Amino acid sequence: MRRRHLAAAITLAATAALVLTACSGGSSGNADASGSTGGTLTILTSATQINLDPAKSQNLAITTLGLIERRLTTWDIEKGKPAKVVPDLATDTGTASDGGKTWTYTLKDGLKFADGTPITSQDIKYGVERSFAPELSGGLSYHKSLLVGGDTYKGPYTGGDLASIETPNDKTIVFHLNAPYGDWPWIASMPAFAPVPKAKDDPQTYGENPVATGPYKVASNKQGTALELVRNTNWSKSTDPVRTAGPDKIVFKESQDVSTSTQTLISDAGSAKTSFLATYLGAAELNLVNKNPEAKKRLATSEAGPINYLAMNTQRGALKDLQVRQAIEYAVDSKAFIIAQGGPQAAIRATTLITPGIPGRVEYDLYPSGDDGDVAKAKQLLAAAGHASDLNLVLWVQNDSSSLAQAQALQQGIERAGVKVTIKPVDPNTIYTDATGDNPDYDLILSSWQPDFPSANGNIQPLFDSSQIGGGGFNLARYSNPEVDKLIAQASATVDPTAAQALWAQADKRIMQDAPVVPLTYAKQSFLAGSDVKDFFVASFPAYPNYLTVTLGQ
């Protein structure tokens, strides 16, 4: 997945658990009961393989790779509290200079790899550099366009070193950016900022057993079957602010069927007691859990967070007309769409682009239409645009039962206004490759999104900056407005968080005045655990359990 588009993640959710700042935690599952040290935690995943190479990873800081690899900074995720960026290997979250174009970090004392060798700033520099190598593509890539020279650098295997990353000594690392970037401390928490010892690097195999810096290291890795982690005795708890390292061993069981795993966890027998499912539950699985009072107590559900939205191709046909797009805003039946998603337990109606839990979000609704739309208003706008009854729009949607049900809910709502909607199911493996190309033939496309870090930047820039149209960019509305581009650039360059948040909120509302997308719902994600899994909860950001703090106990 490129960044965090949930429509793809719904079918690849287990891999996504390999991804928004929370105002409050969701339902707690077993969060209120703390466990003790020891035991074997089992994590059930439908993923058929887990690549642990930090250069190739889109892992959240609090999930799989975070157990093995530390970074310069990391996330402090606690129940009922906003997400915070905090120091990990570094002594602070970064010192900005040159107006935010230069960021300097100092490493903590006494840091070691699992083999006992010291971690140096050169190891972090090398780890970042190797993420530019074409043979290690697929990881989060924000830093690649931000670092000076990153646009042409091809990695250390053929391109030497990247001069914009300096290591004046073993404990200091300096990053030089093309422009000021206030969210750089969050960027430094991404997988590529994990140290990699050059002497141990083989780009073909490093992802099978990376040299650990976190509380766990790989004991065995049988792709498609199981990944087993054991304690890293060279990890120092005194230097680590977020990892509790409760279990003695953690086993990821791969290639697990979600429905079967859900039923196993509901039964809560044997090893199921010390297991949890890495995939969030769909409507069918939620229904099963809700029928079992004991299992329902073990459900952890996030507050509303990730956004589901309908993108309108603003460069195609009648959708170039603002009034037509506004008509679609009013025609959509939000109530029917929520039911198709699984009901109020799975989602609530969305009105803004910045999602709940992200600092600086301002609540507003430019197109108030109630729960089931305002068909009369939609018809009025279509008539004014000269399209009272002649529109036939093609809606792209993933070819799976859940997405098709949601598309049908959108179809029936929009067609009440006299607009014909033709649903085109597209292979889940190719829909986003096709949609982010240079000339896709959709009018509408159903998609979803989770930011990669809890800043409004992650909600706005990837989806609405004109630089993200085509070429693999995720501006599915193909929306271009120079005023908005300027606001995005200004907000990105603002180092003061409060000032930046105000600019992002301004951009949010300005974009919706142009109606390039219909914000549909903010999703809630539910996860199920066995009765002996403790400290198990889901916050609004990220809408996944915090693997780093889970413990076991009776």
Side-chain angles (χ1 to χ4, degrees):
M1 288 176 294
R2 190 170 190 270
R3 301 188 178 97
R4 286 287 174 269
H5 39 90
L6 267 187
I10 285 172
T11 55
L12 298 173
T15 336
L18 288 174
V19 165
L20 297 182
T21 299
C23 291
S24 61
S27 66
S28 58
N30 297 339
D32 296 325
S34 292
S36 56
T37 300
T40 297
L41 170 68
T42 300
I43 301 176
L44 307 172
T45 173
S46 60
T48 56
Q49 62 177 2
I50 300 174
N51 192 310
L52 300 174
D53 193 313
K56 296 174 68 71
S57 177
Q58 295 199 12
N59 245 214
L60 300 170
I62 62 164
T63 56
T64 309
L65 199 62
L67 296 164
I68 305 167
E69 298 288 355
R70 298 175 66 180
R71 306 100 189 263
L72 279 174
T73 63
T74 190
W75 304 353
D76 185 8
I77 305 295
E78 298 182 57
K79 181 189 173 187
K81 295 182 180 180
K84 295 187 298 183
V85 60
V86 295
D88 195 357
L89 295 172
T91 57
D92 58 28
T93 58
T95 300
S97 57
D98 192 20
K101 291 174 66 176
T102 300
W103 289 84
T104 301
Y105 294 85
T106 302
L107 299 187
K108 295 172 181 174
D109 294 329
L111 300 172
K112 295 179 180 180
F113 286 106
D115 62 6
T117 58
I119 298 171
T120 70
S121 57
Q122 290 84 6
D123 297 317
I124 294 173
K125 172 181 167 72
Y126 182 73
V128 176
E129 288 176 337
R130 64 194 295 278
S131 71
F132 286 82
E135 57 264 55
L136 294 176
S137 63
L140 296 175
S141 59
Y142 293 90
H143 60 285
K144 296 181 184 180
S145 61
L146 294 171
L147 286 163
V148 173
D151 56 338
T152 58
Y153 182 60
K154 299 301 182 184
Y157 309 123
T158 60
D161 75 328
L162 183 58
S164 56
I165 307 176
E166 297 178 334
T167 53
N169 56 58
D170 284 351
K171 292 188 63 178
T172 305
I173 187 165
V174 183
F175 300 94
H176 297 280
L177 312 185
N178 292 306
Y181 195 79
D183 282 322
W184 185 259
W186 289 104
I187 302 301
S189 73
M190 293 183 178
F193 290 79
V196 175
K198 186 175 183 179
K200 301 290 182 69
D201 181 28
D202 180 340
Q204 302 302 317
T205 61
Y206 192 77
E208 298 173 10
N209 186 5
V211 186
T213 53
Y216 297 94
K217 63 182 180 180
V218 175
S220 67
N221 188 356
K222 299 176 182 177
Q223 294 289 356
T225 303
L227 167 67
E228 294 188 6
L229 307 180
V230 296
R231 291 193 183 279
N232 168 17
T233 56
N234 279 304
W235 169 73
S236 170
K237 171 59 182 171
S238 64
T239 67
D240 195 326
V242 298
R243 298 169 182 84
T244 59
D248 288 332
K249 179 188 286 188
I250 299 177
V251 177
F252 289 81
K253 286 190 175 180
E254 302 169 23
S255 307
Q256 302 297 300
D257 178 76
V258 174
S259 178
T260 301
S261 296
T262 301
Q263 294 177 54
T264 299
L265 290 172
I266 290 173
S267 72
D268 201 38
S271 63
K273 290 179 178 291
T274 55
S275 304
F276 74 80
L277 183 58
T279 308
Y280 56 85
L281 304 183
E285 288 77 30
L286 269 177
N287 187 47
L288 283 175
V289 174
N290 286 332
K291 291 177 179 178
N292 186 304
E294 289 303 313
K296 191 174 181 180
K297 292 177 184 177
R298 296 183 269 114
L299 198 65
T301 301
S302 72
E303 292 291 328
I307 188 170
N308 298 280
Y309 66 97
L310 179 68
M312 296 179 271
N313 190 339
T314 60
Q315 297 182 0
R316 184 174 164 89
L319 290 173
K320 296 178 181 178
D321 190 320
L322 173 60
Q323 286 184 308
V324 173
R325 299 197 302 272
Q326 289 174 330
I328 303 298
E329 299 276 355
Y330 284 107
V332 165
D333 186 339
S334 298
K335 183 177 180 180
F337 187 81
I338 289 172
I339 291 171
Q341 269 196 276
Q345 190 177 4
I348 63 171
R349 180 172 177 260
T351 61
T352 68
L353 303 173
I354 299 174
T355 47
I358 300 294
R361 177 178 181 265
V362 176
E363 185 78 49
Y364 69 88
D365 186 358
L366 292 187
Y367 306 100
S369 56
D371 290 338
D372 56 358
D374 186 338
V375 177
K377 181 71 172 178
K379 288 181 175 180
Q380 178 187 349
L381 286 162
L382 289 168
H387 293 287
S389 60
D390 64 343
L391 285 185
N392 188 340
L393 303 179
V394 175
L395 167 59
W396 279 20
V397 62
Q398 284 196 139
N399 190 13
D400 62 73
S401 58
S402 176
S403 298
L404 287 169
Q406 294 169 25
Q408 288 161 5
L410 292 172
Q411 179 188 49
Q412 66 85 18
I414 295 170
E415 288 191 341
R416 296 176 303 171
V419 177
K420 174 70 174 174
V421 175
T422 301
I423 296 174
K424 180 180 178 181
V426 183
D427 185 339
N429 293 314
T430 62
I431 184 170
Y432 288 107
T433 302
D434 296 342
T436 60
D438 292 329
N439 192 30
D441 62 355
Y442 62 82
D443 298 299
L444 310 170
I445 183 169
L446 177 59
S447 188
S448 305
W449 187 261
Q450 288 193 96
D452 289 309
F453 55 98
S455 165
N457 187 332
N459 284 120
I460 301 297
Q461 190 275 340
L463 304 187
F464 301 104
D465 193 301
S466 64
S467 68
Q468 300 303 306
I469 298 173
F474 215 73
N475 185 339
L476 297 179
R478 311 185 84 78
Y479 169 73
S480 179
N481 183 330
E483 180 186 348
V484 170
D485 286 347
K486 185 176 179 180
L487 269 173
I488 290 173
Q490 185 181 356
S492 297
T494 302
V495 176
D496 176 72
T498 303
Q501 289 162 19
L503 289 167
W504 287 119
Q506 184 180 342
D508 183 338
K509 198 167 186 178
R510 179 63 190 88
I511 292 165
M512 281 308 299
Q513 287 172 350
D514 289 337
V517 303
V518 181
L520 296 168
T521 58
Y522 304 123
K524 301 177 184 180
Q525 296 184 179
S526 296
F527 296 81
L528 185 61
S531 59
D532 288 347
V533 178
K534 309 301 180 185
D535 301 296
F536 185 74
F537 67 93
V538 185
S540 290
F541 182 88
Y544 287 89
N546 185 354
Y547 294 15
L548 310 186
T549 59
V550 171
T551 58
L552 298 173
Q554 295 181 350

